[in-house]
Amino acid sequence: QVQLVESGGGLVQTGNSLRLSCTASGRSFAAYAMGWFRQAPGQEREFVAALSWIGRRLYYADSVKGRFTISRDNSKNTLYLQMNSLKPEDTAVYFCAARRTDYEPESRESWYDFWGQGTQVTVSS
């Protein structure tokens, strides 16, 4: 099993940047495919980005492509989401998720087995 804790959220103005972190406890972080999801008020949770255990290929939702970058540092058991050019519509609670597999990740919420508690990102206009 793995426990996930997100951090780095906050309140920023339109156009600014934030970097989210997701730190995993337990061993074998490198064996997990990882993803970021977000949930805005009154809306369903949606896929943001994902990468495999080795991070060779990166996957993004169209709404964040070109602005967000997902990465991981397996030596630090940490997943990152660099968010640039933030917009008010990026306001949401951001969650990291994990699945122990060497397959490429999917964008389906149900594919992931472990979730963090979320971190709030608010972008003011």
Side-chain angles (χ1 to χ4, degrees):
Q1 283 210 353
V2 64
Q3 289 79 44
L4 306 173
V5 179
E6 302 94 337
S7 61
L11 171 64
V12 296
Q13 293 186 326
T14 297
N16 284 3
S17 300
L18 275 177
R19 188 177 80 158
L20 304 183
S21 299
C22 171
T23 302
S25 62
R27 293 181 286 183
S28 303
F29 172 73
Y32 289 81
M34 302 294 297
W36 285 101
F37 288 75
R38 66 186 182 186
Q39 187 168 22
Q43 298 190 19
E44 295 188 352
R45 193 150 52 181
E46 65 175 4
F47 171 77
V48 174
L51 77 175
S52 68
W53 68 276
I54 199 172
R56 184 166 292 146
R57 289 186 62 184
L58 311 180
Y59 302 85
Y60 297 98
D62 288 343
S63 59
V64 306
K65 204 170 292 183
R67 299 188 298 122
F68 290 11
T69 302
I70 187 172
S71 62
R72 67 190 298 163
D73 186 339
N74 289 341
S75 69
K76 297 181 179 179
N77 281 13
T78 303
L79 175 74
Y80 301 101
L81 185 67
Q82 178 67 44
M83 305 186 296
N84 298 330
S85 302
L86 282 162
K87 306 175 182 180
E89 50 263 45
D90 294 318
T91 295
V93 177
Y94 284 71
F95 300 88
C96 64
R99 174 172 174 147
R100 188 181 178 107
T101 180
D102 55 3
Y103 286 110
E104 292 298 311
E106 297 188 15
S107 60
R108 291 182 293 118
E109 184 179 343
S110 59
W111 188 81
Y112 295 83
D113 297 319
F114 303 100
W115 292 84
Q117 83 291 344
T119 185
Q120 176 71 46
V121 172
T122 304
V123 185
S124 64
S125 56

